[in-house]
């Protein structure tokens, strides 16, 4: 429709039909129609390589990790620690000890809020968040702020769904202790200029946590180039298992942070007179982790890197342009989030029809979208809507599926007008 | 689209587009707010109850076609009824939408919501106004949620 020649060139080597064949769940019909899965912002589907990695691990190599002297424990430990190396390479972290496995982005942020925040943020101190944060990057800070008497400052959103960077700069003061902000907005699709925002924060000696949940599957992330102090993401949003995620933390910061959960594997010695704690990353990994999830995550990162994040980014950008134009031609449709830099997420309201009704009618056409506040209620308030419908794209989505979405929206209008 | 029409029956679409008894109620003496945190839908139910009779019911708020139509039809079903009827009616309505197939005698027009039982994620849309009505009758002043 509107493919510029350079976009064609950038996506020429991207064989989406071959990729689709890697995802068994896509080969099915919903309500008698081929499944069109456009809810990747909520969670992505899994390629056979990830399913096999988890399944083979349980079938052949599973045991608890660390401390075991038997063969299976050694195999499982090697797989688990090998995955840590894999994540280190994926994020280009300087040191493998900077990679902590968590249950997901939410737990990673809670870890920083409780451990780093509990130690470094006190009465009268300030935390900077933005108006486009997911609830998981708001509530952990509110819990901390209530407990210690700190204050939260919020970077406002412009009308097109970008951050007001002048306002951001003006929020810093002598009591600012941390910036925590989203790399890519789940509700708007906005890609924030995080590298520049980290520079601004560092000029004020303020560390920065980046919530990368919506970013890692769509754009290459290099934590050293970004300069961030913490980076969090979830496995299930990058074609890996749910229940597993990562916190990257700069080593000097992690070394100084206290444990946040106590248990096995996070100690050096335990005695009733007092215990001593392991060094990072183990200090922050109490209890038996989601071992198979870690193995599946490593397989997912292998898969994504084999496809190549630069070509994924180019392909999805082309798809976003196509979808934005196609959906934008529907009368009565208003896109929420039209920032110049966007990931492949279309959030919209349509003709006064409630997003849940849109979602139910589209489901009947085999199309899976999300309807609601996307765990970003302040964003909904900012744009004066209770909820939006959201189509979010992944590596296996096609222009033909965008066309199906547009046809489906035509049926939605037919029913409710 | 015939199956989908079993959910979105003409009566539901009509009440969704043009809700009856929508707006504030001047003589109201009972109120409650209802909220569905899953979708952000909100409803306020206003009642005028006198001598144990629900003289008038009106509602305000924003929701999907199912929740708006449910609130609208509920106001019609309850107007002029003894407040003691509300509980029994809600029980029958709940049975209808959670799906044991039982259709109570009192339901009347409300049977158009039978299709909701095929869509578990939409049951809360259909019941939000009813939970809120119950809270208004109890008039305990707290916001009800569907969670």
């Amino acid at each position: 429709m509107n493919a510029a020649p350079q976009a064609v060139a950038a996506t020429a080597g991207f064989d989406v039909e071959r990729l689709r064949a890697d995802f068994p769940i896509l080969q099915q019909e919903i309500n008698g129609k081929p499944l069109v899965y456009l809810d990747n912002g909520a969670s992505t589907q899994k390629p056979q390589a990830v399913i096999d990695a988890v399944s083979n691990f349980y079938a052949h190599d599973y045991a608890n990790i660390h401390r075991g002297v038997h063969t299976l424990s050694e195999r499982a430990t090697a797989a688990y620690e090998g995955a840590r190396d894999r994540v280190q390479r994926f994020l280009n972290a300087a040191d493998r000890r900077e990679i902590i496995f968590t249950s997901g982005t939410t737990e990673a942020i809670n870890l920083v809020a409780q451990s780093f925040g509990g130690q470094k943020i006190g009465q009268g101190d300030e935390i900077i968040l933005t108006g486009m944060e997911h609830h998981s990057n708001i509530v952990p800070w509110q819990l901390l702020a209530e407990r210690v008497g700190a204050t939260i400052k919020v970077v406002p959103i412009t009308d097109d769904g970008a951050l007001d960077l002048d306002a951001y700069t003006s929020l810093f003061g002598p009591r600012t202790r941390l910036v925590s902000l989203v790399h890519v907005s789940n509700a708007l699709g906005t890609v924030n200029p995080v590298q520049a925002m980290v520079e601004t924060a560092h000029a004020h000696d303020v560390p920065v946590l980046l919530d990368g949940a919506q970013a890692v599957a769509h754009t290459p992330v290099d934590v050293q180039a970004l300069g961030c102090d913490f980076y969090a993401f979830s496995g299930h949003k990058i074609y890996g298992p749910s229940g597993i995620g990562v916190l990257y933390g700069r080593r000097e910061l992690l070394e100084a942070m206290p444990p946040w959960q106590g248990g096995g594997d996070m100690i050096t010695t335990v005695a009733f007179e007092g215990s001593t704690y392991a060094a990072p990353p183990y200090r922050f990994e109490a209890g038996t982790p989601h071992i198979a999830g870690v193995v599946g995550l490593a397989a997912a990162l292998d898969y994504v890197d084999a496809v190549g994040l630069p070509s994924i980014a180019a392909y999805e950008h082309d798809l976003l342009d196509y979808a934005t134009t196609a959906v934008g031609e529907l009368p009565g449709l208003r896109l929420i989030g039209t920032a110049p830099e966007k990931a492949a997420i279309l959030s919209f309201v349509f003709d006064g029809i409630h997003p849940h009704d849109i979602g139910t009618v589209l489901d009947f056409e085999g199309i899976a979208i999300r309807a609601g506040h996307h765990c970003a209620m302040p964003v909904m308030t900012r744009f004066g809507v209770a909820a939006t419908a959201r189509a979010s794209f992944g590596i296996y989505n096609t222009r033909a599926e965008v066309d199906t979405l547009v046809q489906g929206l035509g049926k939605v209008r037919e029913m409710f007008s | 689209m015939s199956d989908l029409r079993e959910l979105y029956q003409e009566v539901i679409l009509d009440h969704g587009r043009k809700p009856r008894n929508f707006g504030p109620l001047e003589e109201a003496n009972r109120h409650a707010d209802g909220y569905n945190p899953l979708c952000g839908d909100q409803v306020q139910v206003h009642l005028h109850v006198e001598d144990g009779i629900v003289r008038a019911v009106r509602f305000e708020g924003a929701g999907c076609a199912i929740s708006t139509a449910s609130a609208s039809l509920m106001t019609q079903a309850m107007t002029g009824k003894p407040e003691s009827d509300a509980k029994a009616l809600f029980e029958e309505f709940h049975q209808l939408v959670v799906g044991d197939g039982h259709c109570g005698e009192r339901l009347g027009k409300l049977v158009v919501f039978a299709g909701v039982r095929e869509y578990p994620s939409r049951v809360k849309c259909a019941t939000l106004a009813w939970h809120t009505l119950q809270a208004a009758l109890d008039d305990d002043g707290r916001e009800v949620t569907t969670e």
Side-chain angles (χ1 to χ4, degrees):
Chain A
M1 182 177 262
N2 66 333
Q6 61 267 43
V8 172
T11 60
F14 196 90
D15 186 351
V16 68
E17 290 308 323
R18 190 180 59 76
L19 291 183
R20 290 182 66 81
D22 293 336
F23 290 80
I25 204 167
L26 299 179
Q27 325 302 322
Q28 67 176 302
E29 296 192 337
I30 300 285
N31 294 318
K33 313 276 171 53
L35 167 63
V36 174
Y37 186 78
L38 300 179
D39 195 17
N40 296 286
S43 203
T44 53
Q45 300 299 346
K46 320 306 172 198
Q48 193 64 49
V50 169
I51 298 168
D52 288 346
V54 172
S55 164
N56 288 334
F57 179 69
Y58 277 132
H60 303 293
D61 301 321
Y62 178 79
N64 209 334
I65 52 167
H66 302 145
R67 296 178 313 281
V69 294
H70 57 81
T71 302
L72 288 183
S73 180
E74 284 176 355
R75 276 192 213 159
T77 303
Y80 184 82
E81 293 301 331
R84 199 186 306 278
D85 298 331
R86 186 69 192 81
V87 175
Q88 181 203 342
R89 285 205 308 283
F90 182 74
L91 293 177
N92 191 35
D95 191 312
R96 70 186 307 279
R97 290 169 290 186
E98 297 180 317
I99 305 301
I100 298 161
F101 289 116
T102 66
S103 68
T105 306
T106 297
E107 190 179 69
I109 295 172
N110 277 278
L111 190 167
V112 178
Q114 291 186 37
S115 171
F116 176 87
Q119 185 182 52
K120 301 279 190 190
I121 299 173
Q123 174 81 36
D125 287 340
E126 294 167 2
I127 302 160
I128 295 177
L129 307 178
T130 83
M132 64 174 76
E133 299 310 315
H134 188 282
H135 296 165
S136 63
N137 197 24
I138 299 174
V139 182
W141 305 110
Q142 289 177 323
L143 292 172
L144 174 71
E146 282 165 21
R147 184 159 62 84
V148 303
T151 314
I152 292 170
K153 303 255 177 174
V154 182
V155 185
I157 306 177
T158 62
D159 288 343
D160 64 355
L163 289 175
D164 181 339
L165 295 177
D166 290 336
Y168 169 65
T169 306
S170 71
L171 288 179
F172 285 89
R175 302 300 300 269
T176 309
R177 293 287 176 261
L178 183 78
V179 173
S180 191
L181 88 121
V182 71
H183 190 171
V184 173
S185 159
N186 74 311
L188 300 168
T190 311
V191 180
N192 288 315
V194 287
Q195 191 166 346
M197 293 178 77
V198 169
E199 278 172 25
T200 303
H202 283 180
H204 292 85
D205 286 326
V206 173
V208 180
L209 184 157
L210 296 180
D211 166 359
Q214 294 292 338
V216 286
H218 309 289
T219 184
V221 171
D222 177 334
V223 290
Q224 294 189 76
L226 292 176
C228 59
D229 302 276
F230 300 102
Y231 196 97
F233 73 92
S234 298
H236 72 98
K237 284 185 164 64
I238 184 163
Y239 312 103
S242 61
I244 189 67
V246 168
L247 174 68
Y248 156 83
R250 269 200 310 118
R251 205 169 146 228
E252 309 87 275
L253 294 177
L254 293 180
E255 290 283 354
M257 282 161 54
W260 79 303
Q261 288 181 340
D265 231 22
M266 52 74 71
I267 46 82
T268 306
T269 61
V270 172
F272 284 106
E273 294 72 30
S275 300
T276 56
Y277 306 117
Y282 307 108
R283 186 186 299 165
F284 305 105
E285 292 181 356
T288 297
H290 184 7
I291 307 168
V294 167
V295 169
L297 173 62
L301 300 184
D302 284 342
Y303 184 85
V304 165
D305 274 344
V307 179
L309 272 164
S311 58
I312 291 172
Y315 177 78
E316 290 182 355
H317 198 269
D318 176 64
L319 197 59
L320 174 69
D321 283 348
Y322 181 78
T324 304
T325 305
V327 165
E329 284 168 359
L330 290 165
L333 189 139
R334 173 187 162 211
L335 284 172
I336 306 288
T338 50
E341 295 296 322
K342 271 190 70 177
I345 289 173
L346 287 181
S347 213
F348 58 90
V349 291
F350 185 37
D351 243 5
I353 303 165
H354 193 282
H356 273 191
D357 295 320
I358 298 174
T360 293
V361 176
L362 290 180
D363 179 61
F364 200 74
E365 298 296 318
I367 306 164
I369 62 147
R370 184 137 296 238
H373 53 55
H374 317 295
C375 295
M377 290 174 76
V379 175
M380 302 296 112
T381 306
R382 167 65 180 80
F383 287 94
V385 295
T388 72
R390 183 187 71 184
S392 51
F393 301 87
I395 52 174
Y396 34 62
N397 292 126
T398 65
R399 287 183 170 208
E401 289 181 314
V402 172
D403 297 341
T404 306
L405 171 67
V406 171
Q407 286 157 18
L409 288 170
K411 291 187 176 166
V412 170
R413 192 209 308 280
E414 213 174 281
M415 172 156 282
F416 291 102
S417 62
Chain B
M1 211 178 272
S2 63
D3 288 351
L4 201 53
R5 289 281 179 193
E6 282 173 25
L7 174 66
Y8 290 113
Q9 301 217 9
E10 206 44 58
V11 175
I12 293 180
L13 292 173
D14 175 45
H15 280 254
R17 277 186 216 111
K18 292 176 296 192
R20 320 299 199 266
N21 300 311
F22 186 84
L25 179 63
E26 215 167 275
E27 65 273 28
N29 53 7
R30 313 258 185 102
H31 306 269
D33 291 333
Y35 178 55
N36 181 348
L38 286 183
C39 58
D41 284 359
Q42 285 175 316
V43 65
Q44 294 99 46
V45 171
H46 312 295
L47 300 176
H48 176 222
V49 182
E50 201 176 56
D51 304 329
I53 304 291
V54 178
R55 303 282 179 198
V57 196
R58 290 175 73 80
F59 79 104
E60 298 177 87
C64 62
I66 309 283
S67 74
T68 303
S70 173
S72 174
L73 284 155
M74 177 191 79
T75 62
Q76 292 187 326
M78 278 308 298
T79 303
K81 297 273 166 58
E83 61 178 311
S84 55
D85 275 14
K87 200 169 181 195
L89 195 55
F90 184 19
E91 268 169 25
E92 286 191 4
F93 184 76
H94 199 258
Q95 287 300 327
L96 180 76
V97 297
V98 296
D100 66 350
H102 176 75
C103 179
E105 298 161 2
R106 303 161 185 264
L107 287 174
K109 250 203 273 186
L110 294 170
V111 297
V112 296
F113 290 97
V116 172
R117 83 166 73 105
E118 302 296 329
Y119 300 82
S121 64
R122 306 303 299 274
V123 168
K124 286 170 179 167
C125 310
T127 55
L128 175 62
W130 287 92
H131 284 291
T132 313
L133 171 73
Q134 201 66 57
L137 287 169
D138 297 343
D139 203 16
D140 55 8
R142 83 196 144 85
E143 181 183 76
V144 296
T145 79
T146 52
E147 293 307 289

